[in-house]
Amino acid sequence: MDEPNRAAASAPPYASQESWELRQSLPDPLPADVIVAANRPRENVASHRSYSYNGWDFDVPPGVFSPGLTSQVVFDRLLDGTIPLAGGRYAVMGCGLGVETVIAAKRGAREVYALDLHPESVRNTTAHYKRLAGEHSGTRLIPITSDLFDRFPESGEVDVVTFNPPAVKEAVSDDPDIVRNMCVGSGVVTRFFDQIAERDLLAPGGEVDVVISNTSELRKITGHALDLGFSLETAHSQGWDGSDVRTYLFRLRR
């Protein structure tokens, strides 16, 4: 039996053949030297910087990472409604500067959980949200310093989760801030899916939108999600000029 059929035969009954075929079609990780070259740190994360998106200006203090182009893939799909937020409960994993929280308020989300392992990122997100979205926007912000969902409310349930994980397969730096933001590896994403499934965090009809590229172990990560009963589709895919990197925005449901 070939690999796609073997995978489909062992799949849970709620993981569709289409999901397994998509997983099987994904590319292998790029060679290590290509991954490292494509992910060389582009900024001094220990410096004070600034970032702009959609006419909004964000202060970037030392230790907080500026969003890259893959983060903008998520921002753009939140802003244009491809990822639905209106009236819903939204969790942004790895809130960083808080760009997603500002968009969520503008798009009419009911509640936004802003989660990050890094306390300064959570503080920064809260400050930017108050300044750019306003405390009276009608959207309730719930900032949480947490390793993934470890400190998420036990009874919490959300309609949408987004994550641009630090899933780069190769170590591109020994700076702990850069490692935390870029190259933890696939384990952070598989643990993320484990927690969503174990805690039953998704409301009926809810979705998880995750950005991963072929600098990561795409088949390993998505196969793990399918084993947990998630369905898989591609919400967006793109390459980058002068690069062999291909980035995917996956939409997953249970």
Side-chain angles (χ1 to χ4, degrees), residues 29-219:
L30 292 168
D33 60 330
V34 177
I35 292 174
V36 172
N39 288 278
R40 286 196 179 97
R42 56 186 171 76
E43 62 179 7
N44 180 2
V45 75
S47 67
H48 208 112
R49 292 142 292 138
S50 61
Y51 175 78
S52 296
Y53 175 78
N54 195 46
W56 304 317
D57 295 325
F58 297 82
D59 181 65
V60 189
V64 177
F65 224 63
S66 294
L69 294 175
T70 56
S71 294
Q72 190 169 321
V73 168
V74 178
F75 301 163
D76 290 349
R77 272 82 212 162
L78 291 169
L79 193 63
D80 71 13
T82 300
I83 302 174
L85 295 176
R89 297 157 296 177
Y90 169 45
V92 49
M93 183 59 65
C95 59
L97 292 184
V99 179
E100 295 98 331
T101 68
V102 176
I103 296 171
K106 304 298 184 183
R107 296 293 300 175
R110 187 198 331 166
E111 293 180 342
V112 179
Y113 294 90
L115 298 109
D116 204 295
L117 177 66
H118 187 230
E120 182 60 27
S121 292
V122 176
R123 285 191 291 270
N124 211 39
T125 287
T126 303
H128 287 146
Y129 178 86
K130 289 180 178 178
R131 179 172 60 84
L132 295 169
E135 293 180 312
H136 306 293
S137 67
T139 299
R140 179 188 176 209
L141 180 71
I142 305 154
I144 305 172
T145 302
S146 177
D147 182 2
L148 297 179
F149 290 102
D150 285 353
R151 297 184 64 188
F152 194 77
E154 287 295 328
S155 59
E157 186 180 67
V158 293
D159 302 290
V160 176
V161 185
T162 62
F163 192 20
N164 182 11
V168 172
K169 183 176 179 288
E170 305 295 332
V172 300
S173 173
D174 57 7
D175 183 319
D177 284 322
I178 293 173
V179 171
R180 170 176 55 83
N181 281 280
M182 293 184 69
C183 53
V184 175
S186 61
V188 68
V189 199
T190 56
R191 189 159 56 92
F192 166 79
F193 287 129
D194 285 339
Q195 291 187 351
I196 292 174
E198 289 165 3
R199 295 168 177 242
D200 201 20
L201 291 176
L202 277 185
E207 66 181 62
V208 182
D209 295 274
V210 179
V211 175
I212 320 174
S213 77
N214 56 344
T215 65
S216 308
E217 297 173 290
L218 286 168
R219 291 184 194 155

Side-chain angles (χ1 to χ4, degrees), residues 19 22-23 26 222 226 230-234 250-252:
S19 292
L22 172 56
R23 177 260 178 191
L26 297 173
T222 55
L226 295 182
F230 287 91
S231 65
L232 178 71
E233 63 181 271
T234 302
F250 294 115
R251 176 174 290 130
L252 300 102

